[in-house]
Amino acid sequence: MDELVLLEYPAPGVARLRLNRPQALNALNLEMRRQLARHFHAVAEQRDIRVVVLCGAGRAFAAGADLAELADCGSIELMQRQVHKLWQAIADCPQPVIAAVTGYALGGGCELAMHADIIVAAESAQFGQPEVKVGVMPGAGGTQRLLRAVGKFRALKLLLTGERIGAAEALAMGLVSEVAADEALETRALELAMQIAALPPLAVAQIKEVVLAGADAPLATALMLERKAYQLLFASRDQKEGMRAFLEKRAAVFLGE
Ligand code: CO8
């Protein structure tokens, strides 16, 4: 079977998952999503992996769901595929996920990028939710994650027109974290990954979990989640090491314990 998702280890503590169907602009077919989910499940179990970078190959991050596979699909078949479980594997990844987006991130491709925690876009990247143009709507979180990222009026403009936007506009509206020159994209994403991979992983994981869970909870509940996680981290060796190293004016050595 073709490897539609390649697993690479570009630096200590960093796993890179590369969508590998460039001839179809990395259109996400079912097998590709199964492979993605398998990789994310595996990575979640690996304590030595601290950060995941998700990137494309060729001239796209991903141009959406595979339309050839969907064109004749019926509702019941779609329901029985339970594809949401495959996406959930990505959403549940405890380690930070950095999407490095080059070229097209459209439809399911944009939704995939929005599963990440940080999005670095190449100057040439283009984002959009063009599902409406083919008679459907986003089905992998596009209506909800986009709304939460950029607000109602910008989300609905993108969703209702299906129009594409460039990296600068995506940055201005808060859909991406930063923009890098095309040729520097992967290096920059890796730099960020290495920076985070060197930090205490328990603190990193708690920050991710609390931000994501808290974003959809009432403020008082979210603040309580934050307080509990903050207090919990004082049980870690890395907290003792981090604070002592600061006071002793030396570099901390974090063990993830
Ligand atoms: N599905 C299948 N094949 C695709 C897709 C796609 N989404 N996008 C591109 N391809 C294929 C083309 O068919 C073509 O194949 P071939 O060479 O065999 O003809 C090859 O990739 C190159 O594409 P183009 O020749 O079209 O390249 P262009 O540079 O002319 O155009 C575009 C690039 C603008 C990206 C154009 O390909 C395009 O508009 N693609 C479709 C974009 C789209 O509508 N995406 C949304 C799909 S719907 C969706 O994502 C629903 C999500 C719901 C849940 C999520 C599930 C994953």
Side-chain angles (χ1 to χ4, degrees), residues 115-131:
H115 276 70
D117 304 303
I118 293 174
I119 302 179
V120 186
E123 274 166 356
S124 65
Q126 291 195 39
F127 297 82
Q129 297 287 165
E131 288 90 342

Side-chain angles (χ1 to χ4, degrees), residues 69-147:
E69 205 178 62
L70 281 180
D72 297 321
C73 195
S75 300
I76 302 300
E77 188 186 345
L78 209 52
M79 199 166 73
Q80 287 170 338
R81 282 184 190 169
Q82 305 218 16
V83 168
H84 63 280
K85 292 185 181 166
L86 302 179
W87 290 102
Q88 200 57 39
I90 307 173
D92 287 343
C93 180
Q95 299 98 328
V97 178
I98 300 175
V101 176
T102 187
Y104 299 110
L106 302 178
C110 188
E111 292 174 301
L112 177 60
M114 288 191 290
H115 276 70
D117 304 303
I118 293 174
I119 302 179
V120 186
E123 274 166 356
S124 65
Q126 291 195 39
F127 297 82
Q129 297 287 165
E131 288 90 342
V132 68
K133 293 184 178 175
V134 291
V136 287
M137 59 181 282
T143 58
Q144 302 312 308
R145 288 199 175 88
L146 188 61
L147 172 69

Side-chain angles (χ1 to χ4, degrees), residues 165-214:
I165 55 167
E169 198 176 339
L171 180 67
M173 68 169 66
L175 178 55
V176 307
S177 313
E178 67 174 66
V179 177
D182 286 19
E183 61 283 4
L185 176 76
E186 292 207 2
T187 309
R188 178 60 190 144
L190 188 55
E191 255 173 34
L192 279 170
M194 289 162 65
Q195 191 182 335
I196 297 169
L199 293 168
L202 294 171
V204 165
Q206 289 298 309
I207 290 169
K208 170 170 174 165
E209 192 173 14
V210 168
V211 168
L212 296 184

Side-chain angles (χ1 to χ4, degrees), residues 23-25 27 33 59 63-67 87 107-108 111 131 139 164:
Q23 71 284 5
L25 302 181
R33 276 171 284 165
R59 55 192 186 96
D66 187 331
L67 291 172
W87 290 102
E111 292 174 301
E131 288 90 342
R164 301 201 291 258

